[in-house]
């Protein structure tokens, strides 16, 4: 059947772009141009399927789609487009999609030029030996300067940009040429139909009727319904029920062959069997070696997630299990807080990843959650010469047992217009950064290299960077190891009791100021109670800051409204509704935001 | 089903709404209109018809049940003419039995009370007058949009007393824009000098769709700080107690035996009839609200239909919550015996754990007879009421 394509006429590619540089719009135009969807069926940004993605204008989960393209050479090609997330938090997802491709479009905004995160993804693609096709997008903007950007691509990345496509995804300019370059420049997949089946799982999702559905790139051999397949890492075996491709809706086909990208359904009930990065083979004719797979990304930021309503705990566990299925970077384990009850300590790749998981849990599963302030993983060396990893500040051992604490450091590269270099350096200084290097990209743009404690990046670095550079700076970072620091644990006491969920670890020199600001912030966030509530910040037994929430003095309805009891009742019900998102800690009602207040105090 | 009286007891209280004023005060969101004599006359006709309809529906044609309390509220009921009052009084006399024990209150604006009208009202059987004095400070009276001055209040109370009204209430407002503790002192002092038997002290609440709400939004309304308003309230409590008044409800003070029995019906979650545009009644477990618009109200009555705009059937649980939410406003709190009579259940069997936890925090007190809010939590009582609402 026509779905079966000759491997020589298959092209697998992804799109690398910085947020806002027009990746989703370009993907839409390509879909439209190849007739995968008619213009009428198109609604903006088809590939970004999650509501959350469309609202935030970013891609979180990768998506795949299969296109048919009759090229100028008279041949009909099958193009598999695998979408990639653009944010630094999702590097892991990017590496997954790149591993399933032979080429990538590098989309750069004709006005803004290359950004730090784009650079990171390009290097990832180069490491994977992908053919890169530069596309200079938004050339119809008044501020576009395609020649400058062309020079930048050559100088900064070292790619030949003489053939770079000048495009405007929005206006539909350059789409034909992009497709032609995909066909002519990106190599066809190499793969052998005769060899034993090897298919890389690069994603999956759970379908209530079909069980877990795995997204695969077939490297060798053929997979079809009836085949007994084996997951090489877990050893689990299933009979294939259906295979298909994304056009972009899931469409069943007879078989998937070497070079193809598609999905496999096999009534897989145990979601843990479908490990992303694993290799599928044919149980009756198995491959001897699995594909290299992925390096599992280690979460860098941890926080506690607790349901406001404690009876939602089982639902939260179920929801995390579902999300973990296709988000291998998400980690969680049960934990208990004396203030918040039962919940989970969760690990994320970064702050955005954390926010998105939290939002998905709230939106898709109807949960109301309390998130504790994020923490990095500290290496705590004890006087008995052992080392413990601490990702929850409240678990930090007593100071007399601690010999030293080491914290994770990152190397951050920050691209900024040179006018803002002063602001950026000031920010990095304040964030305990060590200056490494400064390079001019051209006359107007600079890359600054700093070594910074990861925890300082977690705390509002990105927002401050953006506001200090009028939104022009971009940045990327990589972990470079652990270094000893003068760190202390700061406890917060409400009404005299330590609230474990509010404890955090901070540099000694900043402890006093942070403690003071946090007490002030909490005073604003926590509503007045019927009694006076002291807020204290303490290191060990020593109180370093104190604020007081005065007792509520007045909340009463005097009038009887000529017997209108319903109105009285409604007012009280409304008042009660406002308290639903609060957690009772001891006798004090604490709103959700208070637990994140530490993030917002600089 | 509950065995209590809450849904079966016949109403013994009647509220009559007179939705007319000479002008609208800037804080007021009650249902009232500034309108013409013709409109008022037509309204009285409709009101008479509604009285008959309500009577016949709940008691049957020809029955003459006894009323314990009647309350004419507004608006400004004293804007009605003597003739109009007499027509209403006549109809009431045909439908209900009133005795010397019946408390009949009328709300009055100080500027709208003449000697003749006072005499006529007393003659009809009205035995209690409630004046909306609000404050004795001339500037403040203008700030809140009242048409009378402080001397009008004194004159009106004097007339009422001279005519033979023994029971006179004054309303005072606290927390008015620019009000000081001295103003409150002066108002309370002058009120007490008049020899009244009852005083209500209300905190101003800015209601939506009033001039005050608009000014507040625009930043022109400068209300006293919370601390000051609390100090005003505490000042009133102290001064009235020293003058022999008892505080029997969050906003209400009376000489012994002079409590407003009509309002006690509300606080004790007893049923009450209501007639008039925008009036709220509660009969046999049904809370109803009449049409607020005069046109709609009169249309419905012309069609011989009760002019009910919204109605709500109270569940047994909601009724028990209401008993708490309302009863705890009283200084005497909720009586265990009265709860049992109303709901056929023991108070502790229904709210035991909540009452226990609140007693542990000191937010409630209890003994074998009753449960009440300690005086120091009067001003934050909503926090406690809210715990009962939706508890069941």
């Amino acid at each position: 059947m026509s779905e079966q394509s000759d491997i020589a006429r298959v092209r697998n590619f992804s799109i690398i772009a910085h947020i806002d540089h027009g990746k989703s719009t370009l993907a839409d135009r390509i879909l439209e141009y190849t007739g995968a969807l008619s213009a009428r069926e198109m609604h903006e940004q088809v590939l970004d399927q999650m509501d959350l993605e469309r609202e935030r204008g970013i891609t979180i989960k990768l998506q795949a789609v299969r296109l048919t393209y009759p090229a100028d050479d008279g041949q009909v090609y099958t193009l598999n487009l695998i979408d990639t997330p653009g944010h630094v938090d999702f590097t892991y997802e990017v590496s997954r999609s790149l591993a399933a491709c032979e080429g990538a479009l590098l989309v750069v905004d004709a006005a803004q030029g290359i950004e730090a995160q784009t650079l990171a993804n390009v290097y990832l693609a180069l490491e994977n030996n992908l053919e890169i096709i530069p596309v200079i997008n938004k050339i119809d903007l008044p501020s576009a300067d395609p020649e400058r950007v062309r020079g930048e691509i050559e100088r900064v990345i070292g790619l030949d940009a003489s053939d770079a496509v000048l495009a405007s995804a929005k206006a539909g300019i350059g789409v034909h040429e992009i497709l032609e370059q995909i066909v002519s420049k990106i190599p066809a997949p190499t793969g052998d139909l005769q060899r034993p089946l090897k298919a890389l799982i690069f994603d999956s999702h759970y379908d209530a009727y079909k069980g877990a559905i795995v997204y695969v790139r077939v490297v060798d051999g053929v997979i079809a319904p009836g085949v007994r397949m084996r997951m090489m890492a877990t050893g689990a075996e299933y009979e294939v029920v259906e295979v298909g491709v994304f056009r972009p809706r899931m469409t069943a086909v007879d078989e998937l062959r070497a070079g193809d990208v598609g999905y496999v359904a096999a009534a897989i009930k145990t979601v843990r069997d479908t490990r992303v990065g694993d290799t599928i083979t044919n149980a009756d004719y198995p491959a001897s070696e699995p594909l290299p797979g992925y390096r599992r990304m280690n979460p860098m930021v941890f926080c506690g997630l607790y349901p406001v309503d404690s009876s939602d705990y089982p639902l939260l566990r179920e929801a995390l299990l579902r999300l973990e299925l296709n988000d291998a970077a998400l980690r969680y384990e049960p934990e208990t807080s004396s203030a918040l009850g039962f919940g989970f300590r969760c690990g994320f790749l970064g702050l955005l990843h954390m926010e998105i998981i939290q939002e998905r849990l709230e939106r898709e599963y109807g949960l109301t959650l309390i998130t504790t302030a994020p923490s990095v993983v500290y290496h705590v060396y004890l006087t008995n010469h052992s080392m413990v990893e601490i990702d929850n500040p409240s678990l930090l051992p007593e100071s007399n047992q601690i010999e030293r604490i080491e914290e994770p450091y990152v190397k951050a590269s920050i691209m900024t217009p040179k006018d803002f270099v002063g602001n950026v350096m000031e920010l990095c200084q304040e964030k305990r950064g060590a200056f490494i290097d400064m390079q001019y990209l051209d006359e107007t743009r600079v890359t600054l290299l700093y070594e910074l404690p990861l925890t300082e990046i977690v705390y509002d670095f990105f927002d401050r960077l953006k506001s200090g550079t009028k939104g022009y700076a971009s940045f990327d970072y990589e972990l470079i190891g652990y270094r000893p620091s003068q760190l202390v644990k700061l406890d917060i006491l409400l009404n005299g009791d330590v609230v474990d969920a509010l404890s955090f670890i901070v540099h000694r020199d900043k402890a006093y100021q942070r403690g003071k600001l946090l007490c002030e912030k909490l005073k604003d966030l926590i509503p007045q109670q019927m009694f006076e509530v002291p807020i204290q910040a303490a290191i060990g037994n020593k109180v370093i800051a104190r604020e007081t929430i005065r007792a509520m003095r007045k909340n009463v309805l005097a009038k009887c409204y000529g017997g209108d009891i319903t109105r009285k009742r409604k007012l009280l019900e409304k008042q009660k509704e406002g308290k639903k998102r609060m957690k009772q800690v001891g006798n004090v009602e604490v709103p959700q935001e208070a637990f994140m207040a530490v993030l917002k105090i600089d | 089903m509950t065995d209590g009286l809450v849904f079966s007891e016949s109403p013994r209280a009647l509220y009559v709404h007179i939705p007319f004023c000479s002008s609208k005060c800037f804080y007021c969101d009650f249902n009232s209109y500034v309108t013409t004599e013709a409109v008022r006359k037509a309204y009285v006709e409709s009101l008479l018809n509604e009285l008959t309809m309500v009577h016949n529906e709940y008691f049957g044609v020809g029955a003459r049940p006894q009323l314990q309390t009647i309350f004419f509220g507004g608006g400004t009921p004293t804007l009605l003419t003597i003739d109009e009052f007499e027509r209403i009084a006549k109809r009431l006399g045909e439908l209900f039995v009133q005795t010397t024990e019946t408390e009949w209150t009328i709300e009055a604006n100080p500027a709208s009370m003449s000697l003749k009208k006072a005499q006529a009202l007393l003659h009809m059987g009205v035995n209690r007058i409630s004046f909306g004095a609000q404050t004795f400070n001339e500037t403040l009276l203008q700030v809140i949009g009242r048409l009378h001055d402080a001397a009008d209040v004194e004159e009106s109370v004097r007339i009422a007393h001279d005519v033979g009204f023994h029971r006179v209430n004054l309303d005072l407002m606290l927390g008015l824009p620019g009000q000081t503790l001295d103003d409150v002192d002066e108002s309370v002092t002058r009120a007490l000098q008049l020899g009244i038997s009852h005083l209500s002290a209300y905190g101003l609440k800015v209601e939506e769709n009033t001039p005050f709400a608009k000014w507040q939004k625009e930043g022109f309304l400068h209300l006293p700080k919370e601390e000051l308003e609390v100090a005003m309230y505490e000042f009133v409590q102290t001064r009235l107690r020293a003058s022999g008044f008892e505080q029997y409800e969050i906003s209400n003070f009376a000489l012994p035996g002079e409590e407003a029995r009509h309002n006690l019906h509300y606080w004790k979650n007893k049923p009450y009839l209501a007639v008039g545009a925008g009036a709220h009644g509660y009969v046999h477990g049904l809370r109803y609200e009449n049409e607020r618009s005069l046109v709609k109200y009169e249309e419905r009555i012309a069609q011989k239909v009760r002019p009910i705009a919204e109605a709500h059937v109270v569940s047994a649980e909601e009724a028990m919550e209401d008993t708490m939410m309302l009863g705890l406003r009283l200084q005497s709190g909720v009586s265990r015996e009265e709860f049992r009579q109303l709901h056929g259940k023991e108070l502790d069997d229904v709210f035991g754990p909540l009452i226990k936890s609140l007693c542990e925090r000191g937010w409630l007190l209890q003994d074998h007879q009753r449960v009440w809010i300690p005086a120091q939590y009067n001003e934050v009582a909503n926090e406690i009421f809210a715990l009962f609402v939706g508890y069941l």
Side-chain angles (χ1 to χ4, degrees):
Chain A
M1 94 182 237
S2 63
E3 289 290 351
Q4 302 312 323
S5 37
D6 179 350
I7 193 166
R9 290 197 304 277
V10 173
R11 300 290 183 269
N12 297 320
F13 72 103
S14 62
I15 306 178
I16 296 169
H18 185 73
I19 298 172
D20 298 338
H21 282 199
K23 183 187 64 173
S24 298
T25 317
L26 180 60
D28 289 352
R29 287 298 156 273
I30 291 175
L31 259 65
E32 207 178 282
Y33 194 88
T34 56
L37 287 174
S38 73
R40 216 160 46 81
E41 286 174 307
M42 277 309 288
H43 72 119
E44 286 284 297
Q45 305 190 0
V46 168
L47 287 187
D48 291 349
Q49 282 183 352
M50 274 193 278
D51 287 349
L52 203 55
E53 295 185 329
R54 207 161 299 151
E55 274 170 34
R56 292 194 173 212
I58 55 171
T59 310
I60 302 158
K61 288 296 302 166
L62 49 97
Q63 304 281 348
V65 59
R66 178 179 177 134
L67 313 163
T68 306
Y69 176 61
D72 290 355
D73 64 7
Q75 309 253 40
V76 177
Y77 289 83
T78 298
L79 310 182
N80 290 306
L81 163 58
I82 298 166
D83 207 12
T84 58
H87 192 273
V88 61
D89 276 8
F90 301 104
T91 308
Y92 172 79
E93 305 257 339
V94 175
S95 72
R96 280 156 60 176
S97 54
L98 293 181
C101 297
E102 282 77 37
L105 301 179
L106 166 63
V107 180
V108 182
D109 185 302
Q112 293 178 34
I114 294 170
E115 302 288 359
Q117 287 155 27
T118 327
L119 211 53
N121 288 344
V122 172
Y123 290 141
L124 215 53
L126 291 171
E127 274 172 36
N128 280 280
N129 294 319
L130 262 57
E131 180 66 32
I132 293 175
I133 300 173
V135 175
I136 299 172
N137 193 25
K138 305 195 187 179
I139 54 160
D140 53 339
L141 287 184
S143 54
D145 186 355
E147 288 317 308
R148 178 178 66 78
V149 172
R150 193 196 298 271
E152 203 172 274
I153 294 171
E154 297 195 330
R155 207 170 46 253
V156 178
I157 308 178
L159 280 177
D160 176 6
S162 55
D163 286 346
V165 184
L166 301 184
S168 165
K170 210 166 178 189
I173 302 166
V175 178
H176 177 78
E177 199 189 335
I178 290 169
L179 289 165
E180 282 301 314
Q181 288 204 11
I182 288 169
V183 166
S184 62
K185 289 194 171 167
I186 296 176
T190 54
D192 190 337
L193 285 175
Q194 307 309 320
R195 294 179 62 182
L197 171 67
K198 273 187 189 175
L200 177 70
I201 304 180
F202 66 84
D203 201 0
S204 63
H205 80 265
Y206 194 84
D207 181 289
Y209 302 105
K210 295 178 178 171
I213 292 180
V214 293
Y215 297 15
V216 296
R217 157 74 196 270
V218 183
V219 176
D220 284 322
V222 175
I223 186 166
V227 165
R228 186 135 197 91
M229 70 177 195
R230 178 190 297 158
M231 314 286 193
M232 293 187 78
T234 63
E237 293 187 4
Y238 293 95
E239 186 178 312
V240 176
V241 175
E242 181 183 318
V243 300
V245 295
F246 306 95
R247 312 183 50 90
R249 314 281 171 232
M250 284 172 38
T251 310
V253 297
D254 293 345
E255 57 181 25
L256 293 175
R257 300 146 62 109
D260 278 342
V261 173
Y263 68 87
V264 177
I268 303 167
K269 291 281 171 268
T270 322
V271 296
R272 294 188 176 276
D273 285 346
T274 61
R275 191 176 294 168
V276 168
D278 196 359
T279 303
I280 293 177
T281 192
N282 187 324
D284 301 324
Y285 178 35
S288 50
E289 292 280 308
L291 295 162
Y294 305 106
R295 186 165 47 99
R296 186 165 164 120
M297 287 281 287
N298 284 323
M300 302 228 261
V301 176
F302 287 78
C303 76
L305 287 181
Y306 292 84
V308 170
D309 178 351
S310 16
S311 65
D312 280 342
Y313 178 76
L315 177 60
L316 175 58
R317 184 176 48 212
E318 179 64 25
L320 284 167
L321 184 74
R322 288 281 169 83
L323 289 182
E324 185 205 24
L325 164 64
N326 55 11
D327 186 345
L330 173 66
R331 298 273 179 82
Y332 64 94
E333 54 184 59
E335 76 170 1
T336 318
S337 152
S338 54
L340 301 177
F342 292 104
F344 293 92
R345 174 110 322 222
C346 301
F348 306 95
L349 298 172
L351 268 197
L352 181 66
H353 188 206
M354 178 176 112
E355 277 172 35
I356 280 165
I357 294 289
Q358 188 198 350
E359 264 194 73
R360 288 188 65 186
L361 288 168
E362 297 211 333
R363 251 186 234 205
E364 293 169 26
Y365 297 89
L367 290 159
T368 307
L369 297 174
I370 285 175
T371 314
T372 65
S375 167
V376 300
V377 182
Y378 295 96
H379 287 176
V380 180
Y381 293 85
L382 303 176
T383 45
N384 68 7
H385 306 299
S386 64
M387 188 272 276
V388 285
E389 293 191 2
I390 296 292
D391 59 30
N392 179 347
S394 70
L395 300 179
L396 191 72
E398 292 293 324
S399 59
N400 59 12
Q401 295 172 26
I402 297 174
E403 198 235 331
R404 70 174 193 282
I405 305 177
E406 294 188 354
E407 65 177 326
Y409 265 71
V410 297
K411 186 168 85 184
S413 57
I414 300 155
M415 288 188 181
T416 173
K418 73 173 183 348
D419 295 352
F420 303 117
V421 164
N423 290 353
V424 174
M425 292 180 93
E426 206 173 295
L427 174 65
C428 290
Q429 208 73 36
E430 188 195 318
K431 294 284 188 181
R432 298 191 280 136
F435 175 79
I436 304 298
D437 194 11
M438 175 161 95
Q439 293 159 355
Y440 271 84
L441 290 172
D442 54 35
E443 307 82 66
T444 58
R445 298 211 310 153
V446 173
T447 301
L448 287 161
L449 286 181
Y450 266 90
E451 289 180 357
L452 287 154
L454 174 61
T455 185
E456 298 288 348
I457 286 182
V458 168
Y459 283 58
D460 81 348
F461 181 82
F462 194 59
D463 289 344
R464 301 260 321 264
L465 180 67
K466 284 287 175 193
S467 61
T469 61
K470 298 209 164 95
Y472 281 112
S474 63
F475 96 115
D476 186 42
Y477 60 86
E478 60 180 304
L479 200 61
I480 52 172
Y482 276 75
R483 294 179 187 175
S485 284
Q486 293 295 312
L487 299 168
V488 292
K489 181 175 69 150
L490 201 69
D491 288 322
I492 297 294
L493 293 83
L494 276 186
N495 216 12
D497 297 324
V498 172
V499 179
D500 57 0
L502 286 172
S503 297
F504 62 104
I505 291 171
V506 61
H507 193 269
R508 186 179 293 281
D509 296 344
K510 292 191 163 187
Y512 176 77
Q513 198 207 7
R514 277 265 171 85
K516 186 168 171 291
L517 289 170
L518 182 57
C519 285
E520 285 169 11
K521 189 81 190 171
L522 287 172
K523 186 185 171 190
D524 289 344
L525 286 172
I526 299 174
Q528 290 188 324
Q529 319 272 319
M530 299 219 344
F531 44 87
E532 186 176 285
V533 179
I535 307 170
Q536 294 159 297
I539 299 170
N541 291 326
K542 191 176 162 224
V543 173
I544 60 165
R546 182 192 161 108
E547 290 285 337
T548 305
I549 305 172
R550 289 180 316 150
M552 173 192 293
R553 292 309 308 273
K554 198 166 173 303
N555 180 15
V556 68
L557 293 173
K559 287 250 174 81
C560 74
Y561 300 113
D564 187 356
I565 306 304
T566 311
R567 176 166 173 180
K568 263 196 157 50
R569 201 182 157 96
K570 276 188 183 146
L571 281 163
L572 292 171
E573 279 166 356
K574 202 170 150 195
Q575 172 180 330
K576 205 158 183 167
E577 192 59 32
K579 289 199 172 171
K580 276 219 170 128
R581 291 177 82 84
M582 296 209 209
K583 192 86 183 174
Q584 183 102 20
V585 178
N587 271 343
V588 186
E589 305 259 3
V590 183
Q592 266 181 319
E593 311 89 78
F595 295 96
M596 290 290 273
V598 67
L599 281 185
K600 313 223 152 72
I601 55 176
D602 283 298
Chain B
M1 278 305 288
T2 166
D3 300 317
L5 292 171
V6 67
F7 298 145
S8 56
E9 195 177 3
S10 277
R12 297 285 176 234
L14 167 68
Y15 177 81
V16 179
H17 193 69
I18 309 296
F20 304 112
C21 284
S22 318
S23 74
K24 285 286 280 188
C25 302
F26 301 146
Y27 55 85
C28 175
D29 76 332
F30 281 5
N31 197 36
S32 99
Y33 305 89
V34 179
T35 179
T36 62
E37 196 183 324
V39 170
R40 208 181 60 227
K41 281 206 171 334
Y43 179 78
V44 171
E45 290 312 309
S46 298
L47 194 65
L48 294 175
N49 287 333
E50 194 197 1
L51 266 174
T52 306
M53 267 190 245
V54 166
H55 168 275
N56 292 351
E57 179 171 337
Y58 296 124
F59 304 101
V61 180
R64 271 189 85 216
Q66 189 174 325
L67 288 178
Q68 292 168 353
T69 68
I70 303 170
F71 194 101
F72 277 39
T76 310
T78 41
L79 278 189
L80 296 187
T81 61
I82 292 171
D83 176 56
E84 284 160 350
F85 271 125
E86 282 171 348
R87 288 168 57 87
I88 298 173
K90 181 162 171 282
R91 181 64 58 89
L92 283 175
E94 289 161 10
L95 298 172
F96 300 97
V97 169
Q98 296 139 53
T99 70
T100 48
E101 294 299 300
T102 304
E103 174 191 280
W104 186 348
T105 306
I106 186 163
E107 282 187 331
N109 249 15
S112 64
M113 195 58 158
S114 65
L115 180 71
K116 247 181 114 182
K117 203 173 269 181
Q119 283 170 333
L121 287 171
L122 187 77
H123 184 70
M124 276 159 32
V126 176
N127 50 27
R128 189 171 178 272
I129 301 189
S130 174
F131 287 106
Q134 318 312 7
T135 170
F136 283 76
N137 179 300
E138 307 292 356
T139 316
L140 284 176
L141 283 170
Q142 287 174 19
V143 164
I144 62 177
R146 302 289 289 184
L147 291 185
H148 62 85
D149 60 24
D152 288 334
V153 178
E154 287 162 338
E155 175 67 6
S156 300
V157 174
R158 198 182 51 73
I159 290 174
H161 280 148
D162 287 354
V163 163
F165 283 101
H166 304 300
R167 305 183 68 193
V168 175
N169 168 62
L170 285 191
D171 281 354
L172 292 181
M173 293 183 81
L174 306 178
L176 298 173
Q179 195 175 28
T180 65
L181 207 50
D182 284 346
D183 295 330
V184 175
D185 186 349
E186 194 202 342
S187 292
V188 175
T189 305
R190 288 176 71 174
L192 288 172
Q193 281 168 357
L194 294 172
I196 53 172
S197 62
H198 191 285
L199 189 139
S200 299
Y202 297 118
L204 169 73
K205 185 164 182 296
V206 178
E207 301 286 355
E208 282 173 47
N209 304 317
T210 60
F212 268 16
K214 185 164 175 276
W215 298 339
Q216 187 172 52
K217 217 171 128 199
E218 290 165 357
F220 300 132
L221 195 68
H222 304 291
L223 297 177
K225 292 217 161 58
E226 196 179 85
E227 289 298 322
L228 178 55
E229 205 188 327
V230 168
M232 291 173 181
Y233 181 73
E234 286 170 355
F235 175 87
V236 172
Q237 284 179 314
T238 311
R239 174 63 68 84
L240 287 175
R241 213 172 289 135
S243 307
F245 283 72
E246 280 170 13
Q247 180 173 13
Y248 68 98
E249 195 264 351
I250 286 176
S251 313
N252 287 294
F253 304 81
L255 291 175
E258 294 296 318
E259 296 84 4
R261 275 156 41 214
H262 183 80
N263 281 353
L264 284 174
H265 267 96
Y266 300 151
W267 309 137
K268 289 182 182 274
N269 203 15
K270 299 274 199 178
Y272 47 93
L273 300 166
V275 294
H280 297 263
Y282 178 42
V283 183
H284 299 148
L286 182 93
R287 292 200 186 279
Y288 65 88
E289 179 183 2
N290 277 353
E291 296 286 1
R292 288 172 70 94
S293 129
L294 296 182
V295 175
K296 280 191 186 163
Y297 172 78
E298 285 165 25
E299 257 175 28
R300 300 285 289 276
I301 295 199
Q303 294 159 358
K304 306 209 182 316
V305 188
R306 292 273 308 275
I308 293 175
E310 273 187 61
H312 166 67
V313 178
V314 174
S315 69
E317 287 76 22
E318 191 180 329
M320 289 191 280
E321 292 171 8
D322 286 350
T323 297
M324 302 310 290
M325 164 185 111
L326 298 166
L328 287 173
R329 297 185 65 90
L330 296 170
Q331 305 306 291
S332 57
V334 175
S335 143
R336 294 177 189 280
E337 175 56 28
E338 285 175 9
F339 188 92
R340 193 182 302 126
Q341 281 175 14
L342 269 183
H343 303 292
K345 288 191 169 133
E346 288 301 322
L347 179 58
D348 277 340
D349 291 345
V350 182
F351 292 111
L354 179 56
I355 290 172
K356 183 164 175 281
S357 84
L358 292 176
C359 285
E360 279 164 9
R361 288 194 226 175
W363 297 356
L364 282 184
L365 294 171
Q366 63 173 335
D367 62 18
H368 291 301
Q369 275 79 46
R370 56 201 186 100
V371 175
W372 69 98
I373 293 179
Q376 72 265 32
Y377 290 125
N378 263 339
E379 286 138 286
V380 289
N382 269 4
E383 294 287 317
I384 298 166
F385 303 153
L387 297 171
F388 286 91
V389 171
Y391 176 78
L392 298 177

